[in-house]
């Protein structure tokens, strides 16, 4: 058996499609969005109202540069392609290094040189394993000083990360300007969660491959449910707070019920919705079904959100107020334990560890008993997360990541800093993609975190007044009872373009 | 959004490759394996030493027939193709009906007519949803009489099922002969578990697609583990008693450790094996890894097997002997509850419900604490099962299922009964497949089930003296510490044959 699978080898040879314009592109300053005024004090040097468009034309003369690149946060398919795109677009004789394990590699100056051999080994491959990733944040002066030391000799640092990592990149960019360092910081929007969006950033890379992998599995399970006719499958999907992944998968698989956190139902109403589904399907002779649950659902359920907030303040359950105490005790013992015992390094409840799917199954079972339900209710729980973060990137994510890497190289050549690479028109063919660079500060606002006012890039939630969600609400009544399961099947890399080059439904202007 | 995905539609148009010989084939009686003598009393009419080979030549004159087909047991990809292959190969003006929900459809005479419209809707599709499946067994005289009533007017019944279902098919075949009914019963070997094998039956259909789907996910998770470098992933894989699926996935993904139930390690030794892995990887600077656990592992662990056997006899834990009691109390509370509370309709412990992955994680954690392990151990659990049973069948399973269906039509034409369709040389191109019909009784032996001596088809376990397992044992030391993760990626239906037409490693004559 060869260590590299056949598909692995074939994908190494894939040549991403890139926007024509990047062959000879320059950057044009345009009127940008104004950053919130409160940002000026925090980012005096980066605070300005400009934006940058990528346009056709000869830009600055390319000269060799030294660039460091890093991944930060959770894996997303297409990440390796950002690095290969960057590498391929850097002027001859440039040097590219990769910081190991995210920002901690930057702080501790741990890196490897990335040459043709390293780059060629990860073309169109999943994961971040070339240089690893991490969740360290650069916040203290001591850390910033260390980063400045590392940065000496580097023309630019490219940060491939989500909202927090891009915020951190902007903080470092500002610090470099203040310290008179020439090193630029360029951000690349990465997250499977789909919550890093703005007017200019339509979507982050990784979302497409993750959703397609989850949708493959959800479709398989739906077909199994329809065949066996005896189980309700409760499927929790990764994706932190926002329900974008769940909504995308709902539309591509058309399962019976998808809970969208942003609808803001209480726990009682959520349980009722599921119980109602089960009762009505039972009346239609169906004792099976498929229900999608976004990982972040619990944070939208008022009782649990309040409880979590209270537990984040009072580590001890005995210090809870009567309402929170009541909420806590109404939960199954296992979930109580997860809320009380699982804490992150800041002492906060680890929301991702809460087994919402079990919580709901348990409460639904209880309620069905209370109402004297005569049908049968057998549930199976699933959680899909890690399966979709490091998969082989779809053609969409391969092309998207690669183009973002090439854009980062352009930003370096043009001397931009504190900006995030952004592409619009992603639902169009690659040749029509609309590229720009957005100053990160324009996406930020202040939020209280751990008792301190901090700049953050606001997470984009599912717009419950938006076309996509409304489309779903028009369809879901039908999907609840009449099975219209849709089976997307596994990601395809060869064959007709309708299977190899589809893009997320989320991009559709419904 | 179209209700049918693009891939769904494209796969409907796939034309399975079929063995040339089936265009004009006949059946030749050959010397078969002798059935165990004890079978003669149970199967006086079916007990004989003949086998049947499919050979080139004009067979009996085709004449219109009426055939009923059914699925029994768990879903397996390729099942719909057995029906489409059968349909396509039946003589003109024949009638094909599908019994609904497995043997219960046969007992209760519930069926639908299968015409071109129904058949064309499921070509090369996953699931059993065309006619559903079930787990009913036909055992009582009353049931057999009902089946005989249903069978009137049918030339044959085709049972697509696993070991138990094929045993049941043989019982019905014998009953029909005894009653002087003309209806024949043909079996088709189906199960993702890979445990329905004999000298003639190399593998059942469904195994390939299930393993490929699981291997896709395991590869994704391994790449994620290697990128994040902070989790041990404990992945339980469906497949009942035998560890074939786990072994196949071990070889195609090359993860760090795969427990093979058939090795027969005790609980203590199993935990030690994992702890040892973690300690040695920690010494190598690695705090992550991937471990595969076959669903049936618990049944091979002597302490738990004995405990389960005791609990199957004494429903009450207070009646356990001192050893079993000790074994029970050594288990985590949740597992104790699963053993004590979850019972099937026969009052037996539901082995598939035991969360072996959690059990091992828990015991490993405890042991690491005891030995004062200084590294970090964070575990994530997964269970892959339903995801791989009803997926789109791989080309291998599409072709295999279709050929089996065509063989079933041949068996009907040639008037065989009580036989199972069998194909050898499956690792060769379709044109070289070697087809035969095996009398089911030749695969049986008597076993005590529920206190009664019953004929069963023996489950084929992983041969721990076989080439495949030995190959694994030669490799695993290396895989344990040095990461040689292999990423198979999703099943491909287009592109080069090395990705579209690979077959299970299990078939390799190592």
């Amino acid at each position: 058996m060869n260590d590299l699978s056949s598909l692995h080898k074939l994908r190494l040879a894939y040549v991403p499609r890139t926007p024509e314009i990047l062959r000879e592109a320059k950057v044009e300053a345009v009127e940008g969005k104004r950053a919130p005024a409160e940002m000026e004090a925090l980012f005096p040097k980066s605070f300005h109202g400009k934006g940058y468009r990528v346009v056709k034309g000869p830009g600055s003369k390319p000269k060799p540069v030294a660039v460091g690149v890093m991944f930060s946060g959770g894996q997303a398919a297409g990440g390796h392609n950002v690095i290969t795109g960057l590498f391929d677009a850097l002027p001859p004789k440039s040097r590219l290094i990769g910081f190991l394990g995210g920002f901690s590699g930057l702080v501790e100056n741990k890196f490897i040189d990335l040459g043709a051999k390293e780059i060629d080994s990860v073309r169109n491959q999943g994961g971040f394993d070339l240089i690893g990733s991490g969740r360290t944040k650069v916040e203290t002066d001591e850390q910033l000083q260390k980063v400045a030391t590392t940065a000496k000799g580097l023309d630019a640092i490219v940060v491939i990360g989500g909202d927090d990592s891009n915020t951190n990149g902007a903080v470092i960019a500002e610090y470099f300007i203040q310290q008179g360092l020439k090193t630029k910081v360029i951000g690349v929007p990465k997250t499977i969660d789909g919550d890093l969006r703005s007017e200019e950033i339509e979507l982050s890379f990784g979302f497409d491959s993750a959703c397609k992998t989850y949708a493959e599995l959800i479709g398989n399970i739906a077909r199994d449910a329809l065949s066996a006719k005896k189980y309700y499958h409760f499927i929790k999907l990764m994706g932190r707070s926002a329900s974008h992944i769940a909504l995308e998968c709902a539309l591509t698989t058309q399962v019976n019920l998808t809970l969208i956190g942003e609808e803001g139902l209480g726990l009682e109403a959520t349980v009722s919705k599921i119980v109602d589904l089960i009762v009505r399907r039972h009346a239609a002779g169906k004792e099976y079904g498929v229900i999608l649950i976004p990982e972040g659902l619990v944070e939208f359920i008022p009782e649990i959100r309040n409880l979590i907030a209270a537990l984040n303040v009072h580590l001890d359950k005995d210090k809870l107020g009567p309402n929170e105490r009541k909420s806590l005790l109404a939960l199954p013992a296992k979930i109580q334990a997860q809320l009380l015992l699982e804490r992150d390094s800041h002492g906060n409840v680890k929301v991702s560890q809460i087994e919402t799917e079990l919580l709901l199954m348990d409460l639904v079972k209880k309620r069905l008993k209370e109402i004297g339900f005569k049908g049968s209710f057998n549930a199976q729980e699933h959680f899909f997360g890690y399966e979709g973060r490091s998969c082989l990137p779809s053609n969409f994510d391969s092309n998207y990541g690669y183009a973002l890497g090439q854009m980062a190289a352009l930003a370096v050549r043009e001397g931009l800093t504190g900006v995030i690479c952004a592409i619009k028109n992603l639902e169009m063919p690659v040749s029509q993609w609309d590229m720009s660079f957005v100053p990160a500060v324009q996406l930020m606002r202040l939020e209280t975190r751990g008792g301190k006012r901090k700049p953050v890039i606001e997470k984009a939630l599912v717009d419950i007044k938006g076309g996509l969600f409304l489309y779903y609400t028009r369809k879901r009544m039908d999907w609840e009872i009449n099975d219209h399961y849709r089976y997307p099947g596994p990601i395809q890399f060869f064959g007709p373009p309708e299977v190899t080059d589809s893009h997320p439904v989320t991009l559709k202007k419904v």
Side-chain angles (χ1 to χ4, degrees), chain A:
Chain A
M1 196 121 231
N2 196 306
D3 270 4
L4 300 190
S5 74
S6 301
L7 190 54
H8 186 147
K9 282 184 274 185
L10 286 163
R11 288 307 286 172
L12 286 175
Y14 174 75
V15 179
R17 279 186 290 283
T18 48
E20 185 85 11
I21 200 175
L22 287 177
R23 289 201 196 156
E24 198 189 30
K26 61 176 185 179
V27 159
E28 191 178 77
V30 292
E31 187 75 18
K33 205 182 127 197
R34 212 173 156 69
E38 54 192 6
M39 288 300 151
E40 192 164 1
L42 285 166
F43 296 90
K45 302 288 185 185
S46 317
F47 188 82
H48 59 70
K50 277 193 290 186
Y52 307 92
R53 282 184 60 213
V54 177
V55 293
K56 203 172 168 61
S60 313
K61 193 166 173 280
K63 51 173 202 257
V65 285
V67 177
V69 64
M70 51 175 279
F71 291 121
S72 178
Q75 280 66 248
H80 279 143
N81 270 25
V82 177
I83 299 184
T84 62
L86 171 62
F87 178 85
D88 291 348
L90 287 179
K93 298 192 181 163
S94 294
R95 183 187 185 200
L96 182 62
I97 63 171
F99 290 108
L100 299 175
F103 280 109
S104 72
L106 189 60
V107 173
E108 295 156 24
N109 199 18
K110 287 192 181 156
F111 65 88
I112 55 168
D113 268 279
L114 298 175
K117 189 181 150 232
E118 290 76 23
I119 295 296
D120 287 345
S121 73
V122 294
R123 291 189 187 273
N124 314 299
Q125 301 300 318
F128 285 179
D129 47 285
L130 180 66
I131 51 175
S133 185
R135 297 202 180 267
T136 301
K137 282 185 195 174
V138 177
E139 294 187 301
T140 66
D141 282 341
E142 196 196 335
Q143 284 176 312
L144 282 165
Q145 282 161 23
K146 283 187 174 175
V147 168
T149 308
T150 301
K152 262 172 201 152
L154 286 181
D155 296 284
I157 294 166
V158 176
V159 176
I160 305 168
D163 48 352
D164 280 349
S165 309
N166 271 296
T167 302
N168 211 165
V171 167
I172 295 171
E174 171 73 22
Y175 178 79
F176 284 174
I177 305 176
Q178 290 184 16
Q179 300 295 315
L181 261 79
K182 63 158 189 176
T183 316
K184 310 294 190 269
V185 183
I186 316 294
V188 173
K190 168 238 64 158
T191 167
I192 65 162
D193 304 343
D195 57 1
L196 176 49
R197 295 190 200 184
S198 73
E199 214 175 294
E200 296 81 8
I201 303 168
E202 271 190 344
L203 194 65
S204 47
F205 74 82
F207 177 81
D208 183 56
S209 307
C211 287
K212 281 179 175 152
T213 301
Y214 303 148
E216 172 199 353
L217 303 179
I218 296 164
N220 291 355
I221 286 175
R223 190 134 209 175
D224 205 83
L226 188 63
S227 303
K229 295 191 166 59
K230 62 180 179 182
Y231 290 121
Y232 272 90
H233 294 272
F234 283 62
I235 306 176
K236 189 172 78 165
L237 297 171
M238 202 175 246
R240 285 197 310 192
S241 325
S243 309
H244 297 291
I245 289 179
L247 182 57
E248 172 78 16
C249 291
L251 295 173
T252 54
T253 64
Q254 306 188 162
V255 296
N256 305 110
L257 179 62
T258 299
L259 301 168
I260 300 294
E262 287 82 343
E263 282 199 90
L265 293 184
L267 190 57
E268 170 75 21
T270 304
V271 172
S272 294
K273 207 177 171 84
I274 302 173
V275 166
D276 179 58
L277 178 87
I278 294 166
V279 169
R280 285 187 297 130
R281 285 181 67 83
H282 170 66
K286 297 175 179 182
E287 311 272 24
Y288 62 91
V290 181
I291 298 169
L292 303 186
I293 303 160
E295 181 182 55
L297 185 75
V298 284
E299 292 181 83
F300 287 103
I301 295 177
E303 303 93 299
I304 302 190
R305 189 177 54 217
N306 294 340
L307 174 59
I308 290 173
L311 284 170
N312 283 345
V313 178
H314 313 290
L315 296 181
D316 188 344
K317 72 170 170 172
D318 294 332
K319 290 187 181 152
L320 292 176
N323 280 337
E324 285 76 30
R325 205 181 158 73
K326 201 179 140 201
S327 297
L328 181 70
L329 295 176
L331 300 173
K334 190 176 175 191
I335 306 291
Q336 289 188 37
Q338 284 169 356
L339 284 166
L340 294 171
L341 301 176
E342 304 270 354
R343 298 299 170 107
D344 68 14
S345 51
H346 306 286
N348 288 332
V349 171
K350 279 168 117 173
V351 175
S352 69
Q353 298 294 308
I354 302 173
E355 295 180 81
T356 325
E357 67 283 25
L358 290 181
L359 167 65
L360 292 176
M361 276 163 59
D362 197 276
L363 295 175
V364 163
K365 213 174 279 181
K366 233 182 249 174
R367 181 77 64 80
L368 285 171
K369 206 170 176 186
E370 283 164 19
I371 64 168
F373 178 63
K374 292 279 176 286
S376 90
F377 172 68
N378 295 302
Q380 296 281 350
E381 81 270 15
H382 310 264
F383 171 43
F384 297 139
Y386 302 97
E387 295 82 352
R389 306 196 315 177
S390 295
C391 61
L392 274 174
S394 62
N395 277 355
F396 178 85
D397 276 329
S398 296
N399 297 338
Y400 188 12
Y402 193 80
L404 288 167
Q406 294 210 308
M407 283 183 72
L410 176 63
V412 174
R413 200 183 76 200
E414 298 300 326
L416 303 184
T417 192
V419 294
I420 299 177
C421 304
I423 306 186
K424 283 210 304 199
N425 268 359
L426 285 166
E427 81 283 16
M428 305 298 286
V430 169
S431 60
Q432 294 170 50
W433 284 2
D434 182 7
M435 290 166 285
S436 64
F437 298 100
V438 196
V441 64
Q442 292 175 10
L443 307 178
M444 293 184 193
R445 58 166 197 178
L446 287 179
E447 252 184 31
T448 305
R449 286 198 182 178
K452 285 184 190 165
R453 295 289 280 173
K454 290 198 171 167
V456 295
I457 294 178
E458 198 173 359
K459 278 192 208 311
L461 301 180
V462 167
D463 178 5
I464 58 166
K465 286 174 181 159
L468 203 71
F469 180 73
L470 294 178
Y471 173 82
Y472 172 60
T473 58
R474 284 195 302 276
K475 291 285 183 180
R476 66 177 163 186
M477 290 276 283
D478 187 20
W479 296 351
E480 275 171 19
I481 304 302
N482 309 311
D483 302 327
H484 289 293
Y485 300 146
R486 195 174 171 277
Y487 315 117
I491 295 178
Q492 297 296 299
F493 297 106
F494 310 94
E498 67 261 34
V499 289
T500 57
D501 288 276
S502 64
H503 50 68
V505 183
T506 293
L507 289 172
K508 279 213 169 49
K509 313 284 187 279
V510 191

